[in-house]
Amino acid sequence: MGGFVPRVLSRCLSAGVSVAFEGSREEHFPELMAWAAECGASCSGFEIAKFGGEGYGLRATRDIKAEELFLWIPRKMLMTVESAKNSILADGGVSAGPSPGTPWMLVAGLRGTNVCLTLPCPDFAGPLYGQDRILQAMGNVTLALHLLCERADPASPWLPYIKTLPAEYDTPLYFEEEEVRHLLATQAIQDVLSQYKNTARQYAYFYKVLHFTAEAELRALFLRVSLVYEEVKSGLMVGEGWAPVSGGAPSEAQPCAFPVRGGPMIAGPSSPGTRAHVASAVGEGGGTHKTHPNASKLPLKDAFTFDDYRWAVSSVMTRQNQIPTEDGSRVTLALIPLWDMCNHTNGLASSTSASSQLIIVAHKITTGYNLEDDRCECVALQDYKENEQIYIFYGTRSNAEFVIHNGFFFEDNAHDRVKIKLGVSKSERLYAMKAEVLARAGIPASSVFALHRSEPPISAQLLAFLRVFCMTEEELKDYLVGEHAINKIFTLGNAEFPVSWENETKLWTFLETRAALLLKTYKTTAEEDRCLLQQSDLSPHARMAVLLRLAEKEILERAAASGRTKRLHCQEQLEGGAALPLYEETDAALLDGAGAKLPIVLRKLEEGDEEAELGTAHAPVLAAHGTPLLNGESGEPGSGRACTQLEDGKEVAGENGEASAQGDEASAQRTGATAKANGE
């Protein structure tokens, strides 16, 4: 049982994969294609093939035109939360001995501190799904257990699909400890550690549910998993500029084990999957659990190891998507056989707005759900010649998100970015004025922004924030009560209309300094990473981690260079007495409707950034290995039928740290000279 998480659990729980199929993965592809054809899926025009380092994908067996409908998958082939509710998961269960709500407390030493948990006891009587709060709240966990149950059932209709799933994945759940070390200081590290923690705790919880562990043994099991995890994490971080973990859960609000279609599910302290929720659902108290009459029906009862659960979590995390329920009233999570063989590529088309000179970027969503025919449909992203690989667009994800939730690094990622959390300090004398100007522009006084790989490295929203952040009292008054104050708000995110040359100089100086400070949080330089990548003995997972941290450094280096160039330009303009462009020259069309609170010049880019942060835009309809999200209606190519669009993207890593008006040193924590603004 290799990997960092298994080492955490090796002292606690069982290991090894309980179900293995004869033959290689590739040998089962013909069975998958035959099953798909039998179910009514499209099986012509493409085939499954190996593409070097990209692994398996779909290859065109004929020329395919852009936007041509070439693939459809009927609902009967999909594994969904709804199908799980109709499976054996809804029949098996356990009943709890202690009465619901009975509290108990555990106190244990951890590196000189105490872990103190006071937890209620739930009621597990009745069908497993119907009574289990975690399964009801977390569709992805339900899918993972559904997948394991079907894998263990020789009569499962989904076996032709399950046999073609990878035996192992490249998600961080499969990283060795030394490979995880390469992720230190990257935007991925906190989510990776949270992924480890929550997956281990979920496994301990379901191990108890399936094995009806005695109460005392269950409490010891849950505590062992928690304490061993904290010990290993502390050992990993000590000596790397991190403070040892103490007192139990240092980051309860981090994302859960895995996200919707490749994105994280942000969880609060008592949200599903986190320590507080799993612990509260454990059923601690006196007595022992009694076997439910239907418990023997669960095929996992005697075949549920951590390796099994890790495999199921990774399968769902890299493949899940959202689709409409059969009646179209809501969405549900699904695994989509055959379609999920498609690999990712950029799916962008850009144009320039003549009025505002904004670059409008359209993300090509190529997969949708046709409710009329009750099937998932995919059109070609571009023209494909015979023998070319067919790609889809997973969504506007950063490489940190791809590594965490999909297990790969995409070198040509047009959407790569580094998150930074910035905020106006409430202790600053001008806080109220700055917050009001920002509010009028529709921007919070504290928010997560991004430095982008592409040019310009900052969005209109971040530009507007930095301008307000650096304003003097007189400039703030001008934007609040001065002549044409309302109109001036609309120019805050437009690079063509500076507040003043002094203000521009300050904001670009701030950006240059901030990027330089973030670069210092890494233990290696970009050049050292490039040399490391030349080593032939670097493992694939370590290479992925080094590529990620190098990409982040390159984004920060470009941001610092851009800030330096713009700062020097503004200084020249200031020294030369250059006149400022007049705000009257702005286009009235910047307002998108009479009631719009946020100028469109800011709102359009804000929407893209927020979607990236919340995981709502990373998915063009079902993209293999992404997060799908319903995104309105679109006419199906070649017909008048409505086709619900899905997205293949995922969501976002939690952020760590906040820059305040007090200066960067106030936010430096991990290293003596670094700003606590490196989003993770």
Side-chain angles (χ1 to χ4, degrees):
M1 182 169 71
F4 176 50
V5 179
R7 191 167 69 79
V8 174
L9 293 171
S10 61
R11 287 177 273 167
C12 309
L13 305 171
S14 54
V17 177
S18 61
V19 177
F21 300 106
E22 293 184 1
S24 66
R25 181 187 180 196
E26 186 174 7
E27 290 175 332
H28 295 293
F29 289 151
E31 184 181 356
L32 172 64
M33 296 296 287
W35 173 63
E38 180 182 333
C39 291
S42 59
C43 296
S44 62
F46 60 86
E47 63 185 2
I48 302 174
K50 188 74 175 288
F51 294 93
E54 292 182 89
Y56 290 103
L58 294 188
R59 179 169 61 197
T61 56
R62 60 174 175 82
D63 290 353
I64 299 176
K65 295 295 184 182
E67 300 189 5
E68 177 185 342
L69 177 62
F70 74 96
L71 175 62
W72 57 87
I73 307 293
R75 185 182 293 272
K76 68 172 70 174
M77 290 179 61
L78 312 185
M79 295 189 72
T80 67
V81 174
E82 307 307 306
S83 65
K85 293 177 184 178
N86 296 320
S87 74
I88 199 165
L89 268 181
D91 297 327
V94 294
S95 58
S99 59
T102 302
W104 62 274
M105 180 176 289
L106 286 177
V107 180
L110 173 63
R111 292 182 181 269
T113 65
N114 284 330
V115 177
C116 183
L117 303 174
T118 302
L119 306 164
C121 174
D123 181 7
F124 280 107
L128 180 57
Y129 182 87
Q131 294 297 318
D132 191 272
R133 286 180 286 172
I134 291 181
L135 292 180
Q136 292 174 9
M138 297 184 69
N140 45 14
V141 173
T142 299
L143 264 185
L145 290 183
H146 184 27
L147 182 61
L148 285 174
C149 285
E150 297 303 322
R151 187 186 67 167
D153 180 5
S156 171
W158 288 286
L159 275 186
Y161 168 59
I162 296 172
K163 289 177 182 178
T164 65
L165 293 175
E168 291 188 350
Y169 289 87
D170 291 318
T171 60
L173 288 176
Y174 286 84
F175 280 27
E176 299 289 345
E177 180 177 335
E178 286 306 312
E179 294 167 338
V180 176
R181 288 185 182 277
H182 289 297
L183 291 173
L184 291 175
T186 68
Q187 303 237 313
I189 187 62
Q190 284 297 333
D191 277 356
V192 166
L193 293 175
S194 293
Q195 190 179 81
Y196 291 158
K197 174 181 64 177
N198 291 316
T199 302
R201 287 173 178 166
Q202 287 169 10
Y203 172 70
Y205 166 77
F206 284 111
Y207 182 91
K208 158 259 164 185
V209 170
L210 294 169
H211 292 81
F212 319 112
T213 310
E215 205 64 48
E217 180 184 348
L218 170 61
R219 279 185 257 170
L221 176 65
F222 179 78
L223 186 62
R224 279 206 308 276
V225 170
S226 297
L227 298 188
V228 172
Y229 165 81
E230 303 297 358
E231 289 176 3
V232 173
K233 180 179 175 182
S234 296
L236 181 67
M237 295 307 182
V238 169
E240 296 290 345
W242 292 72
V245 176
S246 63
S251 56
E252 292 287 11
Q254 293 299 319
C256 291
F258 49 97
V260 177
R261 187 61 174 149
M265 297 180 67
I266 304 302
S270 60
S271 297
T274 58
R275 162 183 288 207
H277 188 92
V278 172
S280 68
V282 159
E284 298 84 351
T288 59
H289 289 291
K290 300 177 181 179
T291 301
H292 190 283
N294 292 327
S296 60
K297 295 181 180 180
L298 289 176
L300 300 184
K301 185 175 182 297
D302 299 315
F304 186 65
T305 67
F306 179 77
D307 280 339
D308 289 327
Y309 191 63
R310 174 175 62 166
W311 172 84
V313 165
S314 294
S315 295
V316 173
M317 179 166 57
T318 59
R319 281 167 160 73
Q320 65 183 344
N321 242 294
Q322 289 181 348
I323 66 167
T325 53
E326 202 161 355
D327 61 3
S329 62
R330 53 193 175 83
V331 295
T332 187
L333 292 179
L335 299 180
I336 307 172
L338 194 57
W339 173 84
D340 64 9
M341 294 297 301
C342 294
N343 288 317
H344 165 79
T345 191
N346 288 319
L348 302 178
S350 61
S351 60
T352 303
S353 167
S355 59
S356 63
Q357 295 186 348
L358 286 175
I359 296 178
I360 308 300
V361 178
H363 308 297
K364 298 187 69 174
I365 298 174
T366 59
T367 309
Y369 200 90
N370 187 323
L371 282 171
E372 180 179 337
D373 292 333
D374 202 19
R375 66 188 191 184
C376 169
E377 297 181 342
C378 184
V379 300
L381 183 66
Q382 61 191 51
D383 288 341
Y384 292 107
K385 297 294 185 181
E386 183 179 356
N387 293 324
E388 287 185 341
Q389 183 175 181
I390 300 172
Y391 292 97
I392 58 176
F393 176 54
Y394 290 9
T396 57
R397 304 176 186 174
S398 68
N399 270 318
E401 294 162 344
F402 277 136
V403 168
I404 296 166
H405 306 292
N406 299 93
F408 70 83
F409 177 89
F410 188 60
E411 295 201 35
D412 189 28
N413 189 357
H415 303 286
D416 208 6
R417 56 192 175 271
V418 170
K419 297 293 187 67
I420 56 173
K421 186 172 184 179
L422 302 175
V424 180
S425 173
K426 292 184 178 180
S427 63
E428 184 187 347
R429 183 176 64 87
L430 300 177
Y431 172 79
M433 296 177 71
K434 290 183 177 181
E436 177 61 25
V437 175
L438 288 169
R440 293 184 183 185
I443 303 173
S446 178
S447 186
V448 176
F449 301 93
L451 300 177
H452 297 271
R453 172 191 176 187
S454 56
E455 285 292 336
I458 66 173
S459 66
Q461 188 194 30
L462 178 52
L463 176 60
F465 174 87
L466 291 175
R467 281 176 169 169
V468 177
F469 185 80
C470 295
M471 280 183 182
T472 63
E473 185 171 2
E474 289 304 312
E475 289 170 339
L476 288 166
K477 288 180 179 178
D478 192 32
Y479 277 75
L480 288 172
V481 297
E483 187 178 7
H484 305 300
I486 294 179
N487 288 341
K488 286 185 176 181
I489 294 292
F490 302 149
T491 68
L492 281 173
N494 193 322
E496 300 299 319
F497 298 94
V499 172
S500 67
W501 293 122
E502 294 91 339
N503 179 271
E504 290 292 291
T505 300
K506 284 194 290 185
L507 81 86
W508 293 116
T509 299
F510 176 87
L511 181 65
E512 180 184 0
T513 303
R514 173 66 56 174
L517 284 171
L518 291 177
L519 280 168
K520 292 180 180 179
T521 64
Y522 299 92
K523 296 300 181 181
T524 59
T525 65
E527 188 56 38
E528 288 172 336
D529 285 346
R530 294 187 186 98
C531 291
L532 185 58
L533 290 171
Q534 300 303 314
Q535 297 181 9
S536 59
D537 59 346
L538 197 63
S539 72
H541 292 163
R543 183 173 300 278
M544 185 193 309
V546 175
L547 282 170
L548 174 61
R549 77 185 188 205
L550 174 59
E552 291 183 357
K553 292 170 189 175
E554 290 174 343
I555 290 173
L556 292 171
E557 287 173 346
R558 279 193 288 268
S562 177
R564 182 165 53 254
T565 299
K566 294 182 184 299
R567 170 178 59 81
L568 294 174
H569 169 74
C570 293
Q571 287 176 340
E572 291 178 0
Q573 297 296 100
L574 177 63
E575 294 168 0
L580 290 170
L582 299 178
Y583 63 83
E584 288 86 355
E585 297 175 22
T586 59
D587 194 333
L590 289 176
L591 275 175
D592 186 24
K597 289 185 177 181
L598 177 62
I600 192 171
V601 67
L602 302 181
R603 180 159 17 94
K604 281 192 176 296
L605 280 151
E606 177 191 52
E607 290 171 349
D609 286 344
E610 285 185 347
E611 288 173 338
E613 290 166 23
L614 301 177
T616 60
H618 291 175
V621 210
L622 316 170
H625 320 316
T627 299
L629 216 44
L630 290 179
N631 190 27
E633 300 292 325
S634 171
E636 172 192 344
S639 80
R641 286 177 283 179
C643 182
T644 301
Q645 289 187 337
L646 303 175
E647 293 187 317
D648 314 308
K650 155 225 95 122
E651 223 287 59
V652 141
E655 303 304 328
N656 181 24
E658 172 175 323
S660 72
Q662 304 304 312
D664 293 308
E665 57 277 359
S667 59
Q669 278 199 359
R670 288 188 218 150
T671 65
T674 68
K676 186 185 174 188
N678 192 9
E680 294 169 331

